[in-house]
Amino acid sequence: MAANPLPPSRTAFALLRDGASDLHPTRRVTSAPASLNPAQLEAVHYLGGPCLVLAGAGSGKTRVITHKIARLLEAGYAPGQIAAITFTNKAAQEMRERARQLIGPRAAKHLVVSTFHSLGVRILRQDGARLGLKPQFSIFDSDDVLGLLKEAGASTDNALARRWQWTISGWKNSGLNSEAAEAAATDDDERVAARVMRRYEEQLAAYQAVDFDDLIGLPHKLLGQDEEVRSKWQDTLRYVLVDEYQDTNTIQYELLKSLVDHPDERRRGRFTAVGDDDQSIYGWRGATIDNLKRLPQEYPSLKVIALEQNYRSTGNILRAANGVIANNPKLFEKKLWSDFGDGEPVRVVECDGEEHEAERAVARIQSLRGAGGANIDFKDFAILYRANHQARMLEKALRKANLPYKVSGGQSFFDRAEIRDLCAWLRLLVNNDDDPAFLRAVSTPRRGIGTQTLASLGEFAGRWKTSLYEALFAESLSAAVPARAIGSLHEFGRFVNDLEYRARHTSGAEDAKALLLGWLKDIGYEQHLHDGEDSEKLAAARWSNVLDFVDWIAKRCGGEIENDGGMAIETERRSVLDVAQTISVIISLAERGDEQNVVTLSTLHAAKGLEWPHVTLAGVNEGLLPFRSEDDEMTAERLEEERRLMYVGITRARSTLMVSTLRRRKKGRDTIQGVPSRFIGEMKLHEVQARVDPHEKLRALRAAAAERAAQAAAGVKG
């Protein structure tokens, strides 16, 4: 264990309790709260074994995690021995920054703060060779996977390939390989998918590539079958904290177990899982609430601590949330409360239809901003809904009122397959050694270079430790690749070289556009889009996206005449290759929206983890929320998850909440009578509810904590 880095005179948590801190000898902590509440303190200080922190919405879970990291450092853990696992890169970045403010930059630098997938990459980069992976294996994205699956299944049907993709991903997240999947298949469709999965696994191995699911599954496989590697990582990561634990799937839970199930019973179960069973809303993508049920069964000594004090919302909002979620069966008892006072009543409004609903939502924004003046920004507002199609009318109303907005939860322009195709080509021009870019470019469109040829090329490159592009021109390549295929590979290599040369020497918007359009014509990309889509309309829409992207790049090549204060000025000229070199930065800037002062439109799923002062829940009707299509059966499990989704929506609001329901709503091309969601009644807005006195609640909690401390002290003396 690392030596205690703290000054001997005062412990870290004495300092925290006093509202000052000196957790790092050269940095005083100014952002730490003056105190933690009793439940938070208990969660932070408990190091005696496995711990589950039930963190209700807005209860300060990130504060608990970062303070527990400080507590672990005080207990003698080295920063590199502590792993904090989150679900998104954004959440990981935020946690690292908050930890840095608390413990100082030096200690924070060595913490392992990552997503499950990033941790998987770390394990595979170091020890994947034991599974036959080279350190620089490729990670295939969703579109790459779709292309491979179409090959593996000898199909050009995108819809069928996507169904295979979802099915195979579900199997992988449940810990099944192709052999186990075939044994578990229940019908002919699943048996076909299992056979496709087997060929797909072979293709990935030949390409020295993995998909996103493999980033969890392969580390779990490695730790399970290799005792030496498992021991290494258990000794490396001696304490694990997992955020949003309710969102874990089966294979993520098993990976966690592999890290914390140390053979020495004294070291077994050194983890803290932080989650909320009431916010488990991702069952459709493999997350299972069963992982919460398993913890007390598999770790009988599990310490369960509930964080019930909410630091986000008013009393009226929390009572509405508690009223809804009370209708779900409880794994663990928990009820949110706040000392912010009742606040504004939750409003329910009935709207004639989607257009009227959108107008009401916009009018509410204008009214609140008019009343609050400069104190209320556009970014203080969010309109949340169950399904993406509900955004259309809301966008129309916001544009009509000239209110700025952004849509979250939909597909980014730069995530579209056709844009990723073109970016892969540009990445290859900039860095010829980018193997994932090479694989995407060489196969988009296809040019007579098949899977077996690329597999042979990959094996050759791996043997000689070169990139795939460099391997094209190796004199000994003919010994590994058939002569008929070498010609196609050399032709591709010469085309890339020529395109790179022209991109380097072409500048200005007009010439850049001509170059890019000529390149797309040379590779037959428009025809490739039409060949790959069943719908001509969809293919045309994708080609329109490509032309927009070409214009976007060309504009950044400069050379255009702009009027500046009455003077005609030519913008700075840049080569196409210069723009390609900065394309990742350009994309990053184009996608930034967090700092914009705009109204947020978002699906309820995408809104999880976020908060706004003023929230509108739109389309709260039967069939929309809870969502149900004609073909779907509303099982008890599905209804419970939809109810949790409503709970998440309610608890996004800090100060005011409006819930809107439709008297008439669209269903396909028809207009049907709208039925208010059962969840509106479950909020019990018209009932006089027992109100918890927050001050009395705090006094009771502090008294209970003091009693536990006294009992513990008496036990030590005894």
Side-chain angles (χ1 to χ4, degrees):
M1 292 284 182
N4 189 343
L6 302 173
S9 57
R10 300 175 75 195
T11 68
F13 278 85
L15 294 166
L16 287 177
R17 287 192 298 271
D18 296 343
S21 184
D22 197 4
L23 293 174
H24 194 274
T26 61
R27 181 182 179 88
R28 297 189 65 82
V29 179
T30 57
S31 60
S35 64
L36 300 170
N37 69 43
Q40 291 173 331
L41 276 171
E42 186 179 12
V44 165
H45 280 279
Y46 185 76
L47 305 180
C51 181
L52 171 62
V53 179
L54 294 171
S59 62
K61 65 181 178 66
T62 305
R63 184 165 71 168
V64 166
I65 292 172
T66 53
H67 280 68
K68 191 151 193 174
I69 289 171
R71 176 69 183 91
L72 289 164
L73 292 175
E74 184 202 21
Y77 287 86
Q81 296 173 333
I82 303 169
I85 305 174
T86 70
F87 273 82
T88 66
N89 289 320
K90 183 179 179 181
Q93 185 178 353
E94 180 189 353
M95 188 174 294
R96 182 178 292 280
E97 176 57 27
R98 290 179 64 172
R100 188 187 68 81
Q101 293 174 6
L102 187 61
I103 65 176
R106 186 178 301 174
K109 181 181 178 181
H110 298 288
L111 290 173
V112 180
V113 182
S114 72
T115 63
F116 271 102
H117 292 90
S118 298
L119 179 61
V121 170
R122 179 182 294 219
I123 293 172
L124 292 178
R125 293 289 188 210
Q126 292 191 29
D127 297 301
R130 298 193 179 228
L131 296 175
L133 282 175
K134 64 179 184 180
Q136 296 306 312
F137 59 84
S138 298
I139 302 171
F140 279 7
D141 63 23
S142 179
D143 293 321
D144 297 327
V145 168
L146 195 66
L148 277 190
L149 287 172
K150 288 162 71 174
E151 279 190 24
S155 173
T156 59
D157 187 336
N158 280 330
L160 178 59
R162 287 192 184 94
R163 287 199 296 273
W164 289 337
Q165 190 173 8
W166 275 98
T167 302
I168 291 169
S169 179
W171 281 333
K172 286 190 174 187
N173 288 329
S174 298
L176 304 181
N177 58 18
S178 58
E179 185 178 348
E182 193 162 10
T186 57
D187 55 37
D188 288 343
D189 287 343
E190 287 191 352
R191 281 186 279 275
V192 169
R195 289 194 289 273
V196 170
M197 184 179 180
R198 184 176 67 251
R199 291 193 288 272
Y200 170 62
E201 289 174 340
E202 293 169 354
Q203 287 176 316
L204 285 176
Y207 282 137
Q208 282 287 300
V210 300
D211 61 26
F212 268 51
D213 296 322
D214 290 331
L215 295 178
I216 310 297
L218 290 179
H220 170 250
K221 178 182 178 181
L222 179 60
L223 296 178
Q225 69 182 31
D226 193 313
E227 187 176 344
E228 184 180 347
V229 174
R230 182 171 65 255
S231 179
K232 167 192 167 181
W233 283 98
Q234 287 179 344
D235 286 338
T236 300
L237 305 178
R238 296 191 169 214
Y239 200 97
V240 181
L241 301 108
V242 182
D243 192 16
E244 303 288 6
Y245 176 77
Q246 77 282 344
D247 294 335
T248 56
N249 58 36
T250 300
I251 199 67
Q252 287 165 338
Y253 176 81
E254 294 297 336
L255 177 62
L256 172 64
K257 280 189 65 181
S258 298
L259 290 170
V260 302
D261 275 356
H262 199 279
D264 185 344
E265 192 63 31
R266 293 170 300 177
R267 289 182 55 188
R268 183 176 182 268
R270 290 189 177 181
F271 70 87
T272 294
V274 182
D276 184 4
D277 51 331
D278 292 333
Q279 296 188 73
S280 179
I281 60 173
Y282 295 115
W284 52 275
R285 71 181 189 193
T288 174
I289 202 166
D290 286 342
N291 288 349
L292 278 163
K293 298 177 183 176
R294 292 174 65 181
L295 277 180
Q297 297 168 359
E298 300 188 10
Y299 298 92
S301 63
L302 180 74
K303 179 75 168 179
V304 180
I305 302 168
L307 305 183
E308 297 177 301
Q309 185 174 0
N310 176 282
Y311 294 93
R312 174 186 300 160
S313 307
T314 62
N316 281 325
I317 292 170
L318 293 182
R319 279 189 288 276
N322 288 333
V324 170
I325 207 64
N327 293 274
N328 273 3
K330 305 299 285 184
L331 290 178
F332 306 96
E333 284 300 323
K334 179 179 80 287
K335 193 172 184 179
L336 295 182
W337 60 277
S338 152
D339 62 359
F340 291 159
D342 288 343
E344 293 289 321
V346 175
R347 291 181 62 203
V348 177
V349 298
E350 285 190 314
C351 304
D352 293 334
E354 286 89 347
E355 186 174 356
H356 184 213
E357 178 181 58
E359 290 171 353
R360 292 286 296 268
V362 168
R364 178 171 181 258
I365 294 171
Q366 293 171 322
S367 174
L368 286 170
R369 290 195 77 241
N375 295 323
I376 302 181
D377 294 320
F378 289 116
K379 64 183 179 183
D380 294 332
F381 296 90
I383 307 174
L384 310 181
Y385 39 83
R386 177 64 176 84
N388 279 309
H389 70 83
Q390 293 173 263
R392 184 178 64 83
M393 195 60 70
L394 295 164
E395 285 190 77
K396 184 178 178 181
L398 287 162
R399 286 197 300 269
K400 184 179 178 181
N402 292 319
L403 301 187
Y405 70 92
K406 66 176 181 180
V407 180
S408 299
Q411 187 184 40
S412 163
F413 180 76
F414 296 97
D415 287 334
R416 300 178 189 275
E418 57 272 20
I419 306 304
R420 294 175 74 89
D421 287 345
L422 306 190
C423 285
W425 276 88
L426 296 174
R427 282 164 43 205
L428 186 61
L429 298 185
V430 172
N431 177 14
N432 294 157
D433 294 332
D434 187 335
D435 281 357
F438 177 96
L439 288 168
R440 187 158 191 150
V442 79
S443 56
T444 312
R446 288 285 180 193
R447 48 184 45 79
I449 302 172
T451 303
Q452 190 53 54
T453 297
L454 292 175
S456 300
L457 180 66
E459 290 174 5
F460 178 85
R463 190 181 314 124
W464 294 101
K465 295 182 171 54
T466 69
S467 68
L468 295 171
Y469 185 83
E470 190 178 358
L472 292 183
F473 306 103
E475 293 182 3
S476 55
L477 182 61
S478 57
V481 177
R484 66 181 183 277
I486 286 184
S488 298
L489 289 171
H490 282 173
E491 183 183 353
F492 173 72
R494 285 192 293 270
F495 184 87
V496 172
N497 272 335
D498 178 63
L499 184 60
E500 181 187 340
Y501 177 84
R502 288 186 289 151
R504 189 185 301 277
H505 294 89
T506 300
S507 61
E510 188 176 343
D511 291 344
K513 186 173 183 176
L515 170 66
L516 294 168
L517 291 175
W519 156 55
L520 293 171
K521 184 178 180 180
D522 289 342
I523 65 175
Y525 193 77
E526 185 177 8
Q527 188 60 49
H528 164 73
L529 291 180
H530 284 274
D531 292 343
E533 291 291 349
D534 299 328
S535 165
E536 284 294 315
K537 185 178 179 181
L538 184 56
R542 294 183 66 189
W543 178 245
S544 178
N545 291 335
V546 169
L547 296 179
D548 287 346
F549 187 62
V550 167
D551 287 340
W552 187 76
I553 293 176
K555 189 173 181 64
R556 282 154 180 79
C557 290
E560 295 181 308
I561 305 300
E562 294 184 352
N563 191 298
D564 185 9
M567 296 180 61
I569 299 176
E570 184 181 78
T571 58
E572 182 185 358
R573 287 177 173 267
R574 300 176 67 199
S575 74
V576 174
L577 194 65
D578 286 338
V579 174
Q581 286 175 329
T582 59
I583 196 149
S584 60
V585 177
I586 294 170
I587 291 172
S588 174
L589 291 172
E591 293 183 315
R592 283 175 60 185
D594 294 343
E595 300 170 4
Q596 296 177 356
N597 186 22
V598 298
V599 177
T600 298
L601 300 181
S602 175
T603 63
L604 287 164
H605 284 101
K608 186 171 175 292
L610 304 176
E611 61 182 75
W612 297 267
H614 310 287
V615 171
T616 296
L617 297 185
V620 187
N621 284 74
E622 291 292 314
L624 289 174
L625 184 64
F627 181 81
R628 181 180 181 182
S629 65
E630 289 183 354
D631 301 330
D632 288 338
E633 179 187 358
M634 183 57 74
T635 62
E637 291 77 13
R638 279 203 56 209
L639 180 60
E640 288 166 15
E641 181 157 320
E642 291 290 307
R643 184 174 283 115
R644 292 193 291 268
L645 197 56
M646 178 72 175
Y647 174 85
V648 166
I650 294 171
T651 54
R652 298 313 92 196
R654 286 163 49 191
S655 301
T656 73
L657 173 66
M658 185 174 83
V659 178
S660 66
T661 184
L662 305 170
R663 296 189 183 97
R664 293 183 299 277
R665 68 179 183 88
K666 292 283 188 182
K667 189 175 182 180
R669 295 184 178 181
D670 300 323
T671 299
I672 64 172
Q673 183 177 354
V675 178
S677 170
R678 70 192 76 185
F679 300 151
I680 292 177
E682 291 175 358
M683 289 193 293
K684 299 180 179 180
L685 299 179
H686 302 296
E687 293 185 15
V688 178
Q689 300 180 42
R691 288 165 166 73
V692 176
D693 182 345
H695 302 293
E696 184 60 36
K697 181 86 171 180
L698 274 171
R699 282 194 291 272
L701 287 170
R702 295 189 186 281
E707 185 178 349
R708 285 195 299 272
Q711 290 173 349
V716 171
K717 290 178 181 178

